[in-house]
Amino acid sequence: MTLPIDPSAIGSEDIGEEEATLEMDHEAAVERVREAFTDAGFGFPVEFVASDLLNEKVDADRDPITMLGACNPAIADRALDASDMKISGMFPCGVIVYEREPGVQQVYHVSIMRIARLVGMAPDDDEWADIVAETGEMVEAAFEPLRD
């Protein structure tokens, strides 16, 4: 299979990649991330502990991995219209908190809005650029206190 784009040509800015490292236990890190994203204007309609599922179903012996499904309903509604509903296949925005080692948690996020534009699920127009900019500013605001 040949990919239509060269993955090595795509940088972290292209996909809105954000990361932060928190030195605390996993549950405290999840709560801190939840608070930071809530303060930035996101809610969490979906949340699950992926490591629990993997450990139970396939005996994976994974350290904690929590997926927080972040959403801002007003922006999500605009994105649905602007993408002719295609962005719904990527909802909600994933914010992952995983344990690198005991007491060290990694927070990771990529922009579904940027990725959708890259792969043709969303238009490359002014409306989508506004959605990308607005969500990008919100994610930056959420990550700012996580990097302190």
Side-chain angles (χ1 to χ4, degrees), residues 13 16 21 27 29 38 40 46 51 63 67-68 78 82 88 95 99 105 108 125 127-128 131 139 143:
E13 299 103 29
T21 303
E27 288 305 316
T38 298
V46 176
S51 53
D63 291 331
M67 189 280 196
L68 301 170
R78 285 175 44 212
S88 63
V95 181
E99 187 170 76
Q105 314 305 316
Y108 184 77
D125 62 15
E127 172 65 13
W128 200 261
I131 290 169
V139 169
F143 267 87

Side-chain angles (χ1 to χ4, degrees), residues 72-95:
N72 177 286
I75 296 174
D77 188 53
R78 285 175 44 212
L80 287 168
D81 289 340
S83 71
D84 194 28
M85 298 295 288
K86 291 178 182 171
I87 192 69
S88 63
M90 298 178 80
F91 276 174
C93 300
V95 181

